[in-house]
Amino acid sequence: MARPRPPRIDKTPFEAEIVDHSHDGRGVARRDGKTVFISGALPGERVMAEQTAKNRHFDEARTVEVLHASPDRVTPRCPHFGTCSGCVLQHLAEDKQILLKQRVLLENLERIGHVTPQTVLPPLTGDSWGYRRKGRFSVRRVNKKDKTLVGFRETDPRFVADLHVCHTVIPHIGERVEALADLVEGLEARNDIPQIEFIAGDATVALVFRHLSPLSDADRAALTAFARQHDFAIYLQSGGVDTVVALWPEAPELAFALPQWNVELVFRPLDFIQVNATLNQKMIARTFELLDPQPEDRILDLFCGLGNFTLPMARLVGEVVGVEGEAGLVMRARENAGRNGLANAHFHAADLTEDQRGTPWMRQGFNKLLLDPPRSGADEVLKQLPLKNIDRIVYVSCHPASLARDAGFLVNERGYKLKAAGVMDMFPHTGHVESIALFEMK
């Protein structure tokens, strides 16, 4: 059977009045009775746009000229804005970006969860440039350009953006994107390196080179020389997570401190850590303000990862139990508890999308709950938990739609009040919405 032809894209520029903002930062217009999402456009603007995609219920387009600009429009700092997909909001004033994200959160809570917070928390903001300490660059040898590209994906994800600099990545990395591309271009294995992951601790910045074929001695020597010259730790990854090995130095240590709670977390180069270090510390502090941990409390921390919340919280409570699905993270959380002398922090590995009602940690009883789930949310585990003795829940979310769904369950089916909710700008200049919510038993 022949595949259906994709809808024909009409590239003729058209004029549009932008009436709203979408949840991902695009302008919203109407054209011939149909909604059009236009990248690079702001509410109140009149623009010339070019169609980029056609769907049954909506179309997509990009701005080619601003005819009447919004007072909230600013000149993007990055020369790659509009091509690179790493940021989509650099053309919107920073103080307006966070208000957009707040509106997205509140609209999701109302539309999906049918709930409204009693209090809207002041937005949490931190460093807005040079903040990203973890991420992944795509790598591609482009023969037509006779060069290797290193960067994030373009807005068309088939292509890698030809970056010269990245202002949102920590400067130690963001200012060396071209140097990385030149490094890979000079390797014998340049066609066999699809990505470079980066992650930074307080004292060490690491690069992980994924390679699809064994590296020659010459390539290893070139990578080592680059590491020495630019003060990087370099790891190689030939397959899955368990194939990551240090190239140079022999045994680098990655760690970050949470000085307010006298805690240091050691991690591995592919582990999950919060992207924005400054915002992470503010987020932990706000979480504790809302959860109000007391010496007599026994607190359950679900989706705990390395113990980003669990370990500092152990300084404040009688006992805290962290549960995480990835066994490697649990092992390192236990090691970090030992390093920090925290005998009252206990960790368990468990798939929180499956039934955990027979597990010992589930039956032990808690009076407060902290959740920091992935984008999919926490609906499966919330349905299992014996919530009747839990009088306070703090939910840290990286996806407002799943938070809204779970808030609807807690409020409309389990009898909690949504006392407060607010946004946290973990990813400035992007459409990513990080948020936090407090639930209390009525």
Side-chain angles (χ1 to χ4, degrees):
M1 180 183 294
R3 291 183 180 180
R5 292 182 179 179
R8 179 179 170 272
I9 303 299
D10 182 357
K11 294 285 189 178
T12 305
F14 62 92
E15 189 172 320
E17 298 279 349
I18 308 303
V19 297
D20 202 355
H21 237 147
S22 70
H23 71 279
D24 58 2
R26 292 183 290 179
V28 180
R30 300 285 292 178
R31 186 189 186 202
D32 300 329
K34 195 175 185 182
T35 298
V36 187
F37 297 105
I38 304 177
S39 63
L42 300 176
E45 293 188 329
R46 189 169 72 256
V47 303
M48 294 298 294
E50 179 184 84
Q51 190 178 73
T52 57
K54 189 178 180 69
N55 301 280
R56 177 181 294 181
H57 301 295
F58 63 90
D59 291 338
E60 298 175 76
R62 66 178 186 90
T63 300
V64 294
E65 183 183 357
V66 178
L67 303 175
H68 172 75
S70 163
D72 298 331
R73 176 174 286 275
V74 296
T75 301
R77 177 172 172 177
C78 180
H80 308 295
F81 177 76
T83 301
C84 173
S85 65
C87 303
V88 295
L89 292 177
Q90 282 194 32
H91 61 309
L92 177 61
E94 288 180 29
D95 60 335
K96 297 300 190 295
Q97 291 181 25
I98 192 65
L99 294 179
L100 167 64
K101 296 180 182 187
Q102 179 174 279
R103 197 192 82 186
V104 169
L105 170 65
L106 297 177
E107 287 180 352
N108 272 267
L109 288 170
E110 182 176 344
R111 178 174 54 85
I112 299 172
H114 308 292
V115 293
T116 302
Q118 293 181 5
T119 300
V120 177
L121 298 166
L124 274 188
T125 57
D127 297 334
S128 59
W129 299 105
Y131 66 84
R132 190 187 290 253
R133 62 175 174 174
K134 177 176 172 61
R136 176 188 297 165
F137 289 135
S138 294
V139 181
R140 181 169 295 174
R141 181 64 172 54
V142 181
N143 294 328
K144 287 184 179 179
K145 295 185 176 182
D146 194 28
K147 64 187 296 189
T148 294
L149 305 183
V150 172
F152 297 116
R153 293 282 173 173
E154 290 190 1
T155 50
D156 182 338
R158 296 174 300 169
F159 304 107
V160 176
D162 187 0
L163 298 190
H164 305 292
V165 66
C166 179
H167 294 295
T168 58
V169 172
I170 62 170
H172 195 90
I173 298 168
E175 293 173 358
R176 292 175 170 84
V177 179
E178 272 193 302
L180 274 172
D182 292 341
L183 167 68
V184 177
E185 174 67 14
L187 299 178
E188 296 172 10
R190 65 186 182 186
N191 291 307
D192 294 320
I193 297 178
Q195 66 191 42
I196 302 169
E197 299 222 15
F198 59 86
I199 193 167
D202 291 343
T204 305
V205 181
L207 302 173
V208 183
F209 285 77
R210 177 85 169 89
H211 56 100
L212 304 178
S213 61
L215 297 181
S216 67
D217 290 343
D219 281 357
R220 287 170 173 265
L223 290 168
T224 302
F226 183 87
R228 289 176 179 272
Q229 179 185 354
H230 295 285
D231 193 23
F232 284 114
I234 294 220
Y235 294 80
L236 304 178
Q237 182 186 5
S238 59
V241 174
D242 56 348
T243 67
V244 175
V245 294
L247 175 66
W248 192 89
E250 212 171 275
E253 182 172 89
L254 291 163
F256 66 88
L258 300 171
Q260 186 174 342
W261 302 278
N262 189 27
V263 165
E264 184 179 61
L265 282 80
V266 176
F267 57 92
R268 287 182 53 79
L270 295 188
D271 284 348
F272 172 81
I273 64 171
Q274 294 291 348
V275 159
N276 189 322
T278 304
L279 207 286
N280 182 49
Q281 297 197 38
K282 291 185 177 184
M283 177 177 70
I284 295 170
R286 173 157 290 181
T287 298
F288 292 174
E289 288 171 15
L290 298 175
L291 199 59
D292 190 27
Q294 298 296 322
E296 66 274 13
D297 284 339
R298 192 163 189 276
I299 296 180
L300 178 61
D301 179 8
L302 296 182
F303 310 95
C304 68
L306 285 166
N308 186 56
F309 293 105
T310 329
L311 296 174
M313 189 154 45
R315 298 282 190 212
L316 309 173
V317 303
E319 185 180 6
V320 58
V321 174
V323 183
E324 163 63 39
E326 189 177 326
L329 290 177
V330 172
M331 179 179 69
R332 285 182 282 287
R334 288 173 179 158
E335 292 170 352
N336 280 320
R339 284 190 186 94
N340 289 277
L342 296 168
N344 62 332
H346 307 288
F347 295 92
H348 301 273
D351 183 349
L352 294 172
T353 64
E354 296 183 353
D355 194 337
Q356 300 293 329
R357 279 171 284 205
T359 56
W361 62 264
M362 181 75 91
R363 297 197 302 266
Q364 288 170 347
F366 305 89
N367 65 311
K368 292 177 181 176
L369 170 64
L370 172 62
L371 299 154
D372 184 11
R375 287 177 61 85
S376 54
D379 58 330
E380 293 295 330
V381 72
L382 283 174
K383 292 171 184 174
Q384 304 171 32
L385 283 171
L387 295 173
K388 62 181 179 181
N389 296 320
I390 296 176
D391 53 26
R392 185 171 292 210
I393 299 172
V394 171
Y395 191 129
V396 176
S397 168
C398 62
H399 190 51
S402 57
L403 168 61
R405 179 201 62 210
D406 295 343
F409 171 76
L410 288 170
V411 172
N412 300 320
E413 297 186 40
R414 300 306 295 267
Y416 284 86
K417 293 179 292 186
L418 177 54
K419 293 286 289 184
V423 289
M424 305 179 291
D425 208 5
M426 184 68 73
F427 294 84
H429 310 293
T430 78
H432 183 95
V433 180
E434 192 97 5
S435 55
I436 190 166
L438 168 64
F439 300 87
E440 288 184 354
M441 185 55 72
K442 293 180 182 176

